[in-house]
Amino acid sequence: MRIVTLNIQHGGGNRVPRLAEYLVGLRADLVVLTEFRGTGPSLALAEELREHGLAHFARAPAEPKVNSVAVLANVPFETRPLTCLAEDQRNRILAASFPELDLFAAYFPQRHLKAPLFDFFLGRQHRGGHSRHLLIGDLNTGQHQLDEVGRTFYCADRFGALSQAGLIDLWRTRNPHVREYSWFSRAGRGFRIDHAHGSSAVVSAVERVLYDHAPRAKGVTDHSALILDLDLLAECQSG
């Protein structure tokens, strides 16, 4: 299974044809789009991806012009309402259940506003057995002095505590001391803010996890894509 997450920057705008071309070329089985909107450009992107095999679609509840998160897949999935979240935070997480994976697609807000969303995950246990839980998307934070040069991230302590709840930073398992950035400020400062965290059963299924900087470098959007290849069948057989 190939899973891709990409922040499409304010709903995609007039960049939608280039976004579609890029995403179709990745041949993903599942795509998580952040800063997705219920407006013409985003919906046109979803339709283009549907025509190329990602026929199953859901978006976190939000007003049309509000940034949210969407999931598109080539197999059916079920969504679960997260009524435990405050109403103004429900556009930030989409919970989707696949036969082989429990997915949380996320687009976290800025500053301390993201704290309740981290607390939602920190209050759950994702350890044990062969359960496959994946949190993926734009978390808008990371580790001080590793996912950024300085110490500007908000909720970095909560980000670091995810592993205690059983959600491991998948890219960091392969790159423990590497600095690689998925977004840059106007001042040219880099930050790794797009992430994938998985339970131990997902960690053992990872074949490849990497950032593709092409869409950001070419101006298709202002974020790099995160690509995750999982061999869930092999993980299941080994267990």
Side-chain angles (χ1 to χ4, degrees):
M1 172 182 278
R2 168 162 287 185
I3 302 172
V4 174
T5 185
L6 181 64
N7 183 311
I8 63 172
Q9 191 180 4
H10 307 315
N14 60 11
R15 293 166 285 104
V16 160
R18 298 169 67 197
L19 283 163
E21 180 180 18
Y22 170 73
L23 290 165
V24 167
L26 294 179
R27 299 183 181 275
D29 302 292
L30 193 163
V31 171
V32 172
L33 300 177
T34 57
E35 293 198 17
F36 189 95
R37 297 177 178 178
T39 54
S42 289
L43 296 175
L45 176 59
E47 176 61 20
E48 184 70 18
L49 296 178
R50 185 194 68 79
E51 293 178 359
H52 286 83
L54 298 175
H56 305 277
F57 165 83
R59 176 191 178 224
E63 293 297 318
K65 294 183 180 181
V66 172
N67 287 337
S68 65
V69 59
V71 172
L72 302 98
N74 59 12
V75 296
F77 60 89
E78 296 182 357
T79 60
R80 306 189 305 279
L82 298 176
T83 55
C84 56
L85 295 178
E87 188 171 353
D88 63 353
Q89 295 274 30
R90 294 177 190 172
N91 64 307
R92 299 291 183 170
I93 302 175
L94 180 63
S97 295
F98 293 82
E100 67 279 13
L101 185 70
D102 283 330
L103 178 82
F104 295 93
Y107 171 56
F108 282 14
Q110 300 289 336
R111 301 181 181 272
H112 290 301
L113 293 175
K114 64 176 70 68
L117 299 180
F118 274 111
D119 291 343
F120 167 78
F121 289 101
L122 294 175
R124 302 166 60 94
Q125 284 298 314
H126 305 274
R127 299 180 183 276
H130 301 292
S131 59
R132 304 187 187 99
H133 300 154
L134 177 65
L135 166 63
I136 186 169
D138 181 354
L139 303 189
N140 265 313
T141 195
Q143 295 186 62
H144 291 318
Q145 298 178 330
L146 186 56
D147 297 323
E148 61 171 339
V149 172
R151 298 179 59 86
T152 65
F153 279 137
Y154 287 81
C155 296
D157 56 338
R158 286 175 166 88
F159 178 87
L162 284 176
S163 61
Q164 299 172 16
L167 289 173
I168 310 301
D169 186 338
L170 300 179
W171 185 84
R172 190 57 72 190
T173 63
R174 304 292 182 92
N175 306 275
H177 306 297
V178 175
R179 280 183 181 163
E180 189 167 358
Y181 304 131
S182 63
W183 181 83
F184 284 78
S185 70
R186 291 182 179 178
R189 298 182 62 184
F191 302 87
R192 188 174 76 98
I193 57 177
D194 301 273
H195 300 280
H197 286 70
S199 60
S200 57
V202 172
V203 173
S204 62
V206 174
E207 291 188 316
R208 188 172 71 148
V209 54
L210 60 90
Y211 290 98
D212 182 5
H213 304 296
R216 176 178 54 80
K218 295 178 180 179
V220 178
T221 182
D222 60 347
H223 283 242
S224 302
L226 178 58
I227 301 172
L228 176 64
D229 290 333
L230 301 177
D231 187 350
L232 296 174
L233 180 61
E235 190 281 328
C236 181
Q237 291 174 343
S238 66

